Amino acid sequence: MADHPFISLSLLVIILAVASFDNIHAVVQYEVINKAETTNGGIRFNNDIGAEYSKQTLTTATEFIWRLFQQNTDADRKNVPKITLIIEDIDGVAFATNGEIHVSARYIKGYTGDLKREISGVLFHENTHIWQWNGKGQTPGWLIEGIADFVRLKSGYVPGHWVKPGQGSKWDKGYDVTARFLDYCNDLRNGFVAELNKKMSNGYSDNFFVELLGKNIEQLWNDYKAKYGNIS
């Protein structure tokens, strides 16, 4: 039988692509610990979400964040070999610190909407905190949270209670208000948020907005509000 070089080449490309994909997954390990498994929220987590779905979501979120932040090599990223998701009996919703994401079992218990979708959005937000730069502690909290919600926005896991585009009283409200504003800025310069995050690897200045977009934050905010008719 004659050889078919094109078929062989195609198979080689597929093999290399699969190997490359596997290597992406191998970079970070994921662990899920349910410290509240005897509570109603912990039981609901096990029944409605589960460890495997959580690991899959965190894996997808990590790769999504790397692409959105244009972090294509190890040198572009933080060195985070392992991310641990911990479900525990605490107030609030969630927080991230030192490679750990802590999610409230009480919040899981009380949530009345699509729980799996909500927790997926929470994991995209909190996983962003694991990977984003914080200006060596100089970046203001409103921007840290705004970027995390920007990632959640781009992922598609947008809660119904978020403000609509153009709403909000000021750019530094953080979370959804800032996320919508950053989305506007990113439309002005594709990759703006990625470039802003990269700049914050060594520090922070409000002037980063001027350097990247040619206008200060207040001017950009006024333009953003004007675009949507200055709605409140």
Side-chain angles (χ1 to χ4, degrees):
M1 182 180 293
D3 292 334
H4 297 279
F6 293 106
I7 295 177
S8 299
L9 180 59
S10 298
L11 288 173
L12 178 60
V13 170
I14 292 172
I15 291 170
L16 289 174
V18 171
S20 176
F21 185 75
D22 287 342
N23 285 337
I24 290 175
H25 282 274
V27 172
V28 183
Q29 293 182 338
Y30 301 91
E31 182 181 12
V32 177
I33 301 173
N34 187 350
K35 291 184 176 180
E37 58 185 358
T38 61
T39 69
N40 290 334
I43 292 169
R44 189 180 183 195
F45 171 81
N46 286 339
N47 291 339
D48 295 353
I49 303 171
E52 288 310 309
Y53 177 82
S54 299
K55 290 179 184 178
Q56 177 186 358
T57 302
L58 286 170
T59 300
T60 301
T62 292
E63 294 171 7
F64 184 85
I65 293 162
W66 288 349
R67 288 193 299 269
L68 197 61
F69 285 174
Q70 299 176 6
Q71 295 177 330
N72 301 316
T73 68
D74 289 343
D76 299 326
R77 311 168 188 145
K78 289 182 180 178
N79 180 22
V80 183
K82 182 178 181 181
I83 295 176
T84 303
L85 171 62
I86 301 172
I87 311 300
E88 53 190 340
D89 189 28
I90 56 175
D91 289 328
V93 179
F95 67 92
T97 181
N98 297 324
E100 295 180 352
I101 297 173
H102 298 252
V103 176
S104 167
R106 298 175 192 176
Y107 182 73
I108 291 173
K109 172 191 173 183
Y111 191 78
T112 57
D114 185 337
L115 180 64
K116 185 170 282 190
R117 176 179 173 82
E118 169 64 8
I119 295 303
S120 295
V122 169
L123 293 182
F124 268 79
H125 176 105
E126 298 301 334
N127 203 24
T128 303
H129 289 323
I130 300 292
W131 294 108
Q132 70 186 152
W133 299 110
N134 70 353
K136 294 186 175 179
Q138 299 175 33
T139 303
W142 63 265
L143 186 54
I144 292 290
E145 298 298 343
I147 290 176
D149 262 0
F150 170 79
V151 172
R152 181 170 182 172
L153 171 64
K154 304 308 281 187
S155 76
Y157 292 113
V158 179
H161 63 79
W162 272 24
V163 298
K164 304 303 180 185
Q167 290 183 320
S169 59
K170 198 175 179 183
W171 64 85
D172 64 358
K173 289 298 181 182
Y175 296 99
D176 53 342
V177 173
T178 301
R180 295 289 193 188
F181 173 56
L182 291 173
D183 195 34
Y184 164 78
C185 292
N186 205 67
D187 285 342
L188 296 178
R189 176 173 178 151
N190 187 35
F192 163 76
V193 173
E195 294 178 76
L196 179 62
N197 180 68
K198 184 177 181 180
K199 281 179 171 291
M200 293 191 301
S201 63
N202 291 309
Y204 175 75
S205 169
D206 285 347
N207 200 53
F208 288 166
F209 284 80
V210 178
E211 293 173 10
L212 293 172
L213 296 175
K215 295 182 179 180
N216 64 38
I217 301 178
E218 186 171 2
Q219 291 173 311
L220 289 164
W221 176 257
N222 290 337
D223 291 347
Y224 167 64
K225 294 293 288 184
K227 178 180 177 179
Y228 292 98
N230 290 297
I231 58 177
S232 60

